Amino acid sequence: AQTVTQSQPEMSVQEAETVTLSCTYDTSESDYYLFWYKQPPSRQMILVIRQEAYKQQNATENRFSVNFQKAAKSFSLKISDSQLGDAAMYFCAYRTMDSNYQLIWGAGTKLIIKP
Amino acid sequence: DSGVTQTPKHLITATGQRVTLRCSPRSGDLSVYWYQQSLDQGLQFLIQYYNGEERAKGNILERFSAQQFPDLHSELNLSSLELGDSALYFCASSPGQSSYNEQFFGPGTRLTVL
């Protein structure tokens, strides 16, 4: 069974600085999707970025980018120019390519932005 | 706003009771997923429906059941409630059932069992 591990329960960063959130996963599949979701205090689950495992190029969405290391089964999220609105819980999630399309979630990392 | 709606927003009930959570997917989305987010278990997949049919089951208790209706809205029924069922219940929808389809999440229903 697939598992997702986020080893950092909490991270803090100074506003305008860069922070990297870690995520590792375990799978025997060769094709899959990886996601980072943001959950602000409103509790709404918001997709931040998505990476297809068969793509070698790292995904980028504005200030958010990933470092996808398939062999190492690592999927870290880099947030550049951190803003106060980035404060939230960040969840890494894995999605299989088989018929069961559930998302398998990490435990989350709480990101604190210091003004 | 994801386009997925969930009602009610908050629900407070007592142990042993039964509740129904409702989800309306985005217009045109055929797949509905239910997730439970609790403090001790984190986020867990419960069940998926596609166009009215159950497609996948996760860690869903026997006391819980769900269905998707012809108009594609879905309901999650929780019965014989226990204190440990207190959690945030999310519904998500996607256009189809392909793996690459993004799942759009509703705002969640906060269930408190006293």
Side-chain angles (χ1 to χ4, degrees):
Chain A
Q2 297 88 359
T3 58
V4 177
T5 302
Q6 292 179 252
S7 58
Q8 306 154 316
E10 188 176 294
M11 291 282 285
S12 63
V13 64
Q14 207 71 36
E15 193 177 1
E17 297 292 307
T18 295
V19 64
T20 298
L21 308 184
S22 301
C23 173
T24 59
Y25 57 94
D26 188 29
T27 183
S28 58
E29 298 180 321
S30 58
D31 282 333
Y32 45 86
Y33 285 86
L34 295 164
F35 303 84
W36 278 99
Y37 279 87
K38 169 184 177 181
Q39 188 178 39
S42 67
R43 297 292 187 178
Q44 178 77 48
M45 201 65 77
I46 303 165
L47 178 65
V48 175
I49 201 164
R50 170 172 56 189
Q51 175 78 43
E52 291 89 340
Y54 62 86
K55 288 188 178 178
Q56 293 186 342
Q57 186 173 7
N58 289 324
T60 299
E61 288 287 343
N62 300 313
R63 298 182 295 105
F64 298 87
S65 62
V66 299
N67 183 6
F68 174 50
Q69 302 288 329
K70 191 174 183 181
K73 297 178 182 174
S74 171
F75 182 60
S76 60
L77 174 70
K78 185 171 84 171
I79 305 173
S80 305
D81 185 25
S82 297
Q83 301 175 1
L84 294 178
D86 295 333
M89 283 291 290
Y90 285 81
F91 292 93
C92 177
Y94 173 103
R95 189 174 189 189
T96 72
M97 296 283 276
D98 63 20
S99 60
N100 185 347
Y101 301 124
Q102 62 170 293
L103 288 168
I104 300 167
W105 301 83
T109 296
K110 182 178 181 180
L111 180 62
I112 299 168
I113 310 294
K114 299 177 183 177
Chain B
D1 185 358
S2 66
V4 179
T5 60
Q6 288 186 249
T7 56
K9 196 171 183 179
H10 300 281
L11 198 49
I12 301 174
T13 188
T15 54
Q17 295 297 306
R18 172 189 170 96
V19 297
T20 298
L21 312 184
R22 182 187 170 102
C23 167
S24 293
R26 294 187 323 152
S27 177
D29 283 359
L30 299 178
S31 277
V32 169
Y33 305 79
W34 285 97
Y35 293 89
Q36 178 194 58
Q37 185 179 27
S38 61
L39 284 176
D40 56 345
Q41 295 286 330
L43 271 154
Q44 292 193 94
F45 166 72
L46 295 178
I47 198 164
Q48 181 212 355
Y49 279 83
Y50 174 77
N51 203 20
E53 293 187 7
E54 181 187 303
R55 287 299 173 140
K57 258 186 174 178
N59 299 318
I60 188 166
L61 300 172
E62 286 190 9
R63 300 184 286 108
F64 296 1
S65 64
Q67 53 184 327
Q68 186 179 28
F69 294 87
D71 67 351
L72 300 177
H73 90 272
S74 178
E75 292 181 355
L76 179 67
N77 300 296
L78 315 177
S79 61
S80 301
L81 286 168
E82 302 175 358
L83 295 177
D85 297 328
S86 295
L88 186 58
Y89 291 84
F90 283 108
C91 165
S93 75
S94 67
Q97 54 178 349
S98 296
S99 187
Y100 61 81
N101 287 157
E102 177 184 343
Q103 293 183 19
F104 295 87
F105 282 77
T109 293
R110 167 73 69 187
L111 173 66
T112 302
V113 182
L114 301 176

